[in-house]
Amino acid sequence: MPHELPKAYDPTAIEDHWAEYWVREQLFAQPTPAPGASTTSGGEAAEGLDGQSSYTILLPPPNVTGRLHMGHMLNQAEMDILTRWQRMSGKKALWLPGTDHAGIATQMMVERQLAAEGGSRQQLGREKFVDRVWEWRHEYGGAILDQMKRLGASVDWNREYFTMDERLSVAVREAFVRLYDQGLIYRGAYIVNWCPRCQTAISDLEVVHEEQKGFLWEIKYPVTDADGQETGEFLTVATTRPETMLGDVAVAIHPEDERYKHLHGKMLQLPLVARKIPIILDEWVSLDFGTGAVKVTPAHDPNDFALGERHHLPSINIMDDRAHINAEGGPYAGLERYEARKKVVEDLEALGLLGAIKDHTNNVGHCDRCKTTVEPRLSTQWFIAVNKSPKGGGPSIAEQARKVVEPDAHGKKAITFTPEMYEKTYLGWMENIHDWCISRQLWWGHRLPAWHCADCHKITVAKVDPTACQHCGSTKITQETDVLDTWFSSGLLPVSVFGWPNFGQSNTPGASSPSHLGTREGNEGYADFNAFYPTSVLVTGFDILFFWVARMIMLGCWAAADVPMPDGSSRSLADSVPFREVYIHALVRDANREKMSKTKGNVLDPIEIVKQYGTDAVRFTLASMASPGTDIAFNVARTEGYRAFANKIWNAARFLFMNVDRAAEIGIFFEPNELGDMPTAGQNAPLEARWIVAELNATAATVNKELENYRYDNAANAIYQFFWGGFCDWYLEIVKLRLDFSETADKQATKAALTTLVQVFEASLRMLSPFMPFLTEEIWHALYDGNPPAKSIALTAYPKADKNSESMLASLSICKSMQAVQLAIIGIRTRRKEIGAEEKAFLNVKIASTEAYPDILRANKQIIKKLARVNELDIVSFTDRNGGGRYEHLAWQAYQYLDVFVEYEKQIDVAAETERLTRDIAKYEKGVAAAARQLTNEAFLAKAPAQVVEGLKKQEAETRLLLDKAQAALAALPKA
Ligand SMILES: [Zn+2]
Ligand SMILES: [Zn+2]
């Protein structure tokens, strides 16, 4: 039967097919374990009753509005490699996909649509607008997951979640109510970053700071006396936002500032608005910035807000949601903030109260989503008190989140970070964490389950929508309009996707509710949680450290604490963590190590590169450079190289199939591996067979070890070296000698060679599979000729090294022998080149080698002769090297363990050779002299950059070596 593999490797022709197959066949689905079957989760957990421990990764949910970029591609390639490797290594592997509803981003997207239609969300009203967002989500929301499907991500699509799904929304509501009941959620006035375009508070982390050229305006505030009369003196303040003066409530000076000591206790007349404000003393004021006098606007600046709190000052909010001046701004009411700025400056100037205007560069915050300049603004928000002990006592949320990362009494950490340095960053942040503002003034998101009472003005928070105020019974209640920050719902994902808090229901959306899922009383409802929580690792970028990493740890530890362990015992803090490990991957930069950015125009679209080179080559490029803490400089030249690597494997497969088919014609059939076997070679097998098996073992050991440590680069490079350098360049070339299909062939030997060839190749495909899933799947299926032992290579076993010490020792000696043979071949090939022998000519060769090698070389004479094109091969030990006679007059070359003598007729044109070498020697001498001149030139050395001098020295040394060689060759020529 012919093995079907097209002549040329064309990734586009195979990838779509397999991507679709993997999804259709649900190959990576990991259903809820059946009752009784017990699995344990986490990296170091003991094995469960069924002997299979689990390996779980939660995909950090991309925004539902997202499109795949290079960062995603790296992130997902790393997760997929880990999951495929663990799955093949026998773990119950689950990679769980989903998307985040992305409050601001999604709302903005739909608002833009509405604007294009000439409408607005205000016109539509809240309910209809939310319906419209759902429509958008159903139509376009799956784009990024479709891209993942095309790239072959081995996730369980049956478990796909969306953070606004009913069951996840239930978890959000439960968490809110419980936190509120524990006294950990409160409502309060706070200075927030306000986006006037998005009309919502945004977190510090969603503000991008950019240096901007602006001005520093000096404004003169008249000083008044005890009767409130202006004294004629002024106190000058400086500000970058003059319009905020409308909300000033004081001016602060440093108590030690000699310039202003006479003003202690005095008042000022705030210009433009008739308001008297005090001069206050505060050590926070810097003596040398600006004029040393600071206007205080608590409602519009975070530092002023803190000052106001310290001095019990009122806060006057002068702007509305759109950053227009409100009624507090008197005559400026209704003006947009920058119009107001202009008018305020003009009016101050007219009054003679404007001082100097200086150029000033300041750091201006912009909304990460819409780039609008953020306005610090006082508003009423909802918070989680992260540093507060819950009602009834116990550690605070932040304290728990620190504890699980710090070493315990035995030096063990419940969560480890790779690279380790991020642990410190995390702990430092968690040490200084402020209360977490969880409310957003949006329409798209989880609406807060809180109701305001019009009669008693108290708040009712409830799991089920209330009909009356729980304090006074009034029915005049209205639901809070704010929605929750998306980090609140995504922070809960590690618990909510596995059924928290309603453990009686199925966690596989779309699946019919299995009857075995019981209630909270039984343990069955916990099957998913028992099996998959804590998850094994969170793979994410540095920029997400304070988002998912921190929020998931805070909420995960808090929520999982009262979920019983599989055996019914109570859960420790160490087992409450959402993940055992955090792997922070690096940035993908462009080939020049520049950060990719739209403004620079150097953004690489992974989908475009995939179209050009195939997913496998792009994945391999990323893997070959991915290691903890090192940014990736993505260079398509490398991808081209890995595309060639894929091609090499493809051609190896075709060569192999051709031989399998030829063998079949004369009745020789190969013996395939049983699922997951490691090939072996008997003691009597030829050297190359024993060697390639030993190499495969060594490579498998390396790859497994390196992947444990997230060294994707070392793992990928080991496989590359093995496949290209070992398997293709050496083994295939040698094994060709054994594949004899002639009448007189030793069928047994041919069959043995063929079997080792196929088995090693098959195992190598399995080893490569997590890195290049498409190519390996295609070839693997072809290898089994439509009758594979599993539905996918991804469901077979990952190669594991035979750690038996005897076989290790044997491997060592085999590799040493093979090395001797390789050295001999390389030595002869090099020498042939040096003397200019014709490539195809078969020559006579003599090798003199150290003690141990002559026997090995003699035993493998046929290999050497074939691969180095040798006619007669004479192998002697070093001691006999001068006793041979006929090679005496020939030029020879010494290598590390052996000397190689090559007899070649043409080479005896002594006159021509003498002329050539003499010419070369003159050239080299000139080069050495020139370099030496420069290197002794003091003036040159004083000025030249270090690397130039280094380069020159290196060049000189190299030329000197060539000179020595040429002189030696000349001396060795027989005298004419
Ligand atoms: Zn915005
Ligand atoms: Zn009430």
Side-chain angles (χ1 to χ4, degrees):
M1 231 189 293
H3 293 76
E4 276 179 40
L5 210 51
K7 201 163 179 192
Y9 164 61
D10 175 11
T12 48
I14 59 173
E15 292 185 356
D16 282 332
H17 164 71
W18 291 117
E20 193 263 336
Y21 173 81
W22 294 332
V23 176
R24 172 163 40 86
E25 294 291 321
Q26 303 185 24
L27 287 187
F28 309 118
Q30 198 56 265
T32 300
S38 168
T39 48
T40 48
S41 61
E44 51 192 326
E47 286 190 347
L49 292 180
D50 64 353
Q52 203 186 14
S53 57
S54 68
Y55 184 82
T56 316
I57 298 188
L58 190 65
L59 174 77
N63 283 351
V64 68
T65 52
R67 283 289 184 278
L68 199 91
H69 56 60
M70 219 41 167
H72 291 130
M73 177 107 190
L74 170 68
N75 181 253
Q76 295 177 7
E78 288 183 335
M79 280 187 268
D80 199 37
I81 289 169
L82 289 177
T83 313
R84 284 174 181 269
W85 167 59
Q86 293 279 4
R87 182 184 296 115
M88 291 178 76
S89 300
K91 294 272 177 69
K92 190 186 273 292
L94 169 62
W95 183 14
L96 222 148
T99 45
D100 191 289
H101 64 277
I104 298 180
T106 315
Q107 176 157 330
M108 237 176 77
M109 192 80 87
V110 177
E111 277 185 86
R112 271 196 209 131
Q113 266 189 358
L114 288 173
E117 295 164 13
S120 74
R121 85 180 144 102
Q122 285 81 4
Q123 277 174 14
L124 215 54
R126 184 163 187 152
E127 215 170 297
K128 283 205 175 117
F129 177 76
V130 170
D131 287 346
R132 181 73 192 249
V133 181
W134 274 110
E135 270 172 42
W136 181 91
R137 129 98 183 144
H138 289 308
E139 201 160 334
Y140 306 104
I144 195 160
L145 296 186
D146 288 343
Q147 289 177 313
M148 269 185 93
K149 281 178 188 153
R150 168 57 187 83
L151 296 178
S154 70
V155 302
D156 180 354
W157 291 110
N158 293 339
R159 288 179 182 262
E160 180 188 332
Y161 63 82
F162 178 54
T163 46
M164 292 274 281
D165 282 345
E166 179 59 28
R167 70 202 171 97
L168 299 187
S169 301
V170 167
V172 165
R173 191 147 172 178
E174 174 81 20
F176 186 93
V177 175
R178 277 200 209 175
L179 284 163
Y180 186 82
D181 289 346
Q182 290 175 348
L184 296 181
I185 283 185
Y186 66 93
R187 198 168 176 248
Y190 197 69
I191 187 102
V192 293
N193 305 294
W194 185 268
C195 175
R197 214 250 24 125
C198 301
Q199 294 189 30
T200 179
I202 54 177
S203 96
D204 285 345
L205 301 162
E206 291 160 328
V207 177
V208 207
H209 289 276
E210 255 170 44
E211 290 224 320
Q212 225 170 31
K213 282 206 174 105
F215 300 101
L216 196 61
W217 284 273
E218 288 185 0
I219 309 175
K220 299 193 275 186
Y221 287 3
V223 180
T224 59
D225 61 18
D227 304 325
Q229 298 303 309
E230 293 183 14
T231 62
E233 195 186 350
F234 297 99
L235 181 56
T236 305
V237 297
T239 177
T240 57
R241 295 185 295 153
E243 70 281 7
T244 59
M245 67 159 293
L246 302 172
D248 281 2
V249 295
V251 170
I253 52 175
H254 194 282
E256 302 304 321
D257 196 334
E258 292 298 335
R259 292 170 291 183
Y260 303 129
K261 277 212 161 150
H262 65 289
L263 294 177
H264 291 192
K266 292 265 167 55
M267 298 288 283
L268 299 165
Q269 174 69 37
L270 185 66
L272 308 182
V273 274
R275 195 186 302 146
K276 294 249 172 350
I277 58 172
I279 294 171
I280 60 167
L281 308 179
D282 198 290
E283 286 179 349
W284 172 82
V285 178
S286 153
L287 285 162
D288 28 69
F289 180 76
T291 59
V294 174
K295 62 195 269 315
V296 183
T297 328
H300 294 281
D301 182 277
N303 291 319
D304 294 10
F305 180 73
L307 256 175
E309 296 263 279
R310 277 204 292 282
H311 296 269
H312 307 288
L313 297 167
S315 296
I316 302 174
N317 190 347
I318 57 155
M319 284 185 207
D320 65 13
D321 293 355
R322 298 167 305 138
H324 285 51
I325 306 296
N326 63 18
E328 294 283 359
Y332 304 91
L335 290 180
E336 186 272 335
R337 56 182 162 168
Y338 299 118
E339 286 168 19
R341 177 175 300 178
K342 211 170 140 223
K343 187 93 193 338
V344 163
V345 171
E346 278 169 15
D347 291 352
L348 286 170
E349 187 162 32
L351 292 171
L353 295 176
L354 194 65
I357 304 173
K358 293 172 179 161
D359 287 333
H360 184 74
T361 305
N362 56 344
N363 232 349
V364 180
H366 294 88
C367 171
D368 191 22
R369 294 280 157 221
C370 72
K371 312 302 168 208
T372 304
T373 302
V374 161
E375 194 66 42
R377 178 171 176 270
L378 194 70
S379 65
T380 303
Q381 302 288 344
W382 293 78
F383 296 87
I384 296 185
V386 292
N387 294 310
K388 188 179 160 192
S389 209
K391 254 181 214 160
S396 71
I397 286 178
E399 195 183 328
Q400 304 247 60
R402 286 192 294 270
K403 258 194 204 157
V404 292
V405 174
E406 288 162 351
D408 67 9
H410 311 286
K412 274 196 73 176
K413 297 166 188 169
I415 299 175
T416 55
F417 280 75
T418 305
E420 211 181 341
M421 61 168 187
Y422 288 116
E423 187 184 295
K424 227 174 131 194
T425 317
Y426 168 88
L427 284 173
W429 190 78
M430 203 50 91
E431 200 67 55
N432 296 307
I433 189 171
H434 295 289
D435 285 354
W436 171 12
C437 174
I438 49 169
S439 49
R440 294 288 182 271
Q441 289 64 51
L442 301 170
W443 285 356
W444 174 241
H446 296 105
R447 196 163 170 180
L448 269 70
W451 282 258
H452 301 276
C453 175
D455 288 327
C456 74
H457 303 291
K458 287 184 179 163
I459 292 169
T460 301
V461 166
K463 282 184 215 174
V464 180
D465 288 8
T467 49
C469 170
Q470 71 177 59
H471 307 284
C472 73
S474 163
T475 53
K476 282 194 239 158
I477 54 169
T478 46
Q479 190 174 359
E480 169 64 56
T481 53
D482 287 358
V483 299
L484 286 162
D485 173 14
T486 56
W487 305 109
F488 188 86
S489 47
S490 51
L492 283 167
L493 283 172
V495 292
S496 59
V497 293
F498 297 122
W500 188 91
N502 293 323
F503 288 104
Q505 284 149 28
S506 165
N507 302 309
T508 309
S512 59
S513 193
S515 57
H516 68 263
L517 286 174
T519 58
R520 249 182 115 85
E521 282 81 58
N523 201 20
E524 284 109 15
Y526 295 96
D528 264 341
F529 205 89
N530 288 347
F532 303 116
Y533 193 91
T535 67
S536 306
V537 61
L538 180 70
V539 180
T540 191
F542 165 74
D543 50 338
I544 298 304
L545 187 58
F546 307 132
F547 288 122
W548 284 312
V549 181
R551 318 278 163 178
M552 282 179 177
I553 294 177
M554 287 195 284
L555 290 180
C557 292
W558 170 82
D562 61 355
V563 180
M565 292 297 282
D567 63 2
S569 63
S570 58
R571 191 171 286 269
S572 68
L573 179 60
D575 284 324
S576 301
V577 294
F579 28 72
R580 303 275 186 203
E581 293 181 37
V582 177
Y583 174 70
I584 305 278
H585 63 67
L587 271 184
V588 184
R589 296 171 177 272
D590 75 2
N592 302 316
R593 301 209 154 271
E594 296 268 344
K595 210 170 162 174
M596 292 190 200
S597 86
K598 277 188 191 140
T599 25
K600 274 187 246 160
N602 62 346
V603 178
L604 290 171
D605 179 357
I607 300 294
E608 282 306 309
I609 303 173
V610 159
K611 268 187 201 155
Q612 217 175 334
Y613 299 102
T615 310
D616 283 336
V618 180
R619 280 172 69 117
F620 207 88
T621 310
L622 291 168
S624 74
M625 292 189 278
S627 76
T630 314
D631 281 353
I632 291 175
F634 193 95
N635 192 338
V636 285
R638 258 184 106 135
T639 312
E640 230 174 283
Y642 291 126
R643 163 79 196 249
F645 176 51
N647 219 27
K648 184 100 179 165
I649 296 165
W650 187 268
N651 290 337
R654 284 179 48 82
F655 166 78
L656 187 141
F657 293 163
M658 185 184 80
N659 283 290
V660 166
D661 291 344
R662 280 179 68 191
E665 283 164 21
I666 60 161
I668 301 172
F669 298 96
F670 73 92
E671 280 162 23
N673 292 316
E674 289 298 313
L675 271 184
D677 274 356
M678 276 304 263
T680 52
Q683 290 216 321
N684 299 322
L687 177 66
E688 81 280 356
R690 300 178 67 196
W691 171 73
I692 198 67
V693 166
E695 282 285 306
L696 177 71
N697 265 282
T699 311
T702 304
V703 174
N704 282 303
K705 189 189 91 212
E706 298 293 353
L707 283 179
E708 290 284 351
N709 298 317
Y710 302 102
R711 291 302 302 260
Y712 302 93
D713 54 344
N714 290 348
N717 294 331
I719 295 176
Y720 180 89
Q721 286 308 330
F722 169 79
F723 234 124
W724 194 307
F727 187 85
C728 293
D729 284 356
W730 286 104
Y731 175 68
L732 277 189
E733 291 307 311
I734 300 172
V735 87
K736 279 178 187 168
L737 310 177
R738 317 273 181 211
L739 298 173
D740 183 354
F741 305 111
S742 65
E743 293 283 307
T744 55
D746 173 353
K747 280 197 177 180
Q748 254 343 85
T750 304
K751 179 175 175 168
L754 187 69
T755 300
T756 305
L757 169 64
V758 173
Q759 288 185 347
V760 169
F761 185 67
E762 193 271 352
S764 315
L765 288 178
R766 281 187 273 126
M767 191 161 66
L768 179 64
S769 176
F771 298 85
M772 290 191 159
F774 293 102
L775 173 78
T776 49
E777 186 83 299
E778 176 80 14
I779 298 176
W780 187 81
H781 278 266
L783 180 69
Y784 286 99
D785 218 0
N787 197 17
K791 272 189 162 181
S792 163
I793 188 171
L795 303 180
T796 62
Y798 202 72
K800 279 219 162 19
D802 183 355
K803 291 219 177 94
N804 178 314
S805 63
E806 234 172 90
S807 72
M808 295 277 274
L809 223 73
S811 299
L812 225 83
S813 97
I814 292 161
C815 290
K816 246 180 131 179
S817 302
M818 183 65 185
Q819 203 186 13
V821 173
Q822 287 172 319
L823 270 177
I825 294 168
I826 293 169
I828 298 167
R829 283 177 180 167
T830 312
R831 188 63 198 131
R832 288 175 63 116
K833 264 212 187 100
E834 282 169 354
I835 60 175
E838 268 176 69
E839 248 181 70
K840 286 191 178 149
F842 278 79
L843 306 177
N844 295 331
V845 172
K846 174 175 160 182
I847 293 174
S849 170
T850 46
E851 298 301 308
Y853 289 127
D855 287 344
I856 296 165
L857 298 180
R858 255 177 233 126
N860 296 286
K861 219 169 168 175
Q862 289 316 311
I863 298 176
I864 300 170
K865 282 174 80 171
K866 192 88 180 178
L867 266 64
R869 292 186 177 270
V870 175
N871 187 24
E872 267 178 57
L873 181 60
D874 223 357
I875 298 164
V876 298
S877 60
F878 264 138
T879 42
D880 300 330
R881 57 188 288 226
N882 292 324
R886 85 179 213 205
Y887 293 97
E888 284 329 277
H889 64 289
L890 294 178
W892 54 272
Q893 188 60 54
Y895 297 96
Q896 200 177 357
Y897 299 103
L898 35 87
D899 285 358
V900 177
F901 304 79
V902 175
E903 188 179 51
Y904 183 52
E905 292 301 326
K906 268 194 184 166
Q907 197 254 343
I908 306 173
D909 187 354
V910 178
E913 191 70 345
T914 307
E915 199 193 316
R916 182 180 70 83
L917 287 169
T918 312
R919 207 167 48 231
D920 283 355
I921 288 167
K923 188 173 77 190
Y924 297 144
E925 277 172 342
K926 227 168 139 188
V928 170
R933 244 192 334 273
Q934 265 196 309
L935 286 171
T936 51
N937 181 344
E938 294 295 334
F940 166 77
L941 291 176
K943 267 187 284 171
Q947 72 264 32
V948 171
V949 177
E950 272 316 300
L952 205 59
K953 278 185 184 160
K954 212 174 136 207
Q955 196 191 330
E956 193 213 10
E958 278 165 9
T959 319
R960 221 177 259 286
L961 193 74
L962 289 170
L963 176 62
D964 289 349
K965 273 194 164 185
Q967 280 167 340
L970 185 65
L973 279 178
K975 299 292 162 263

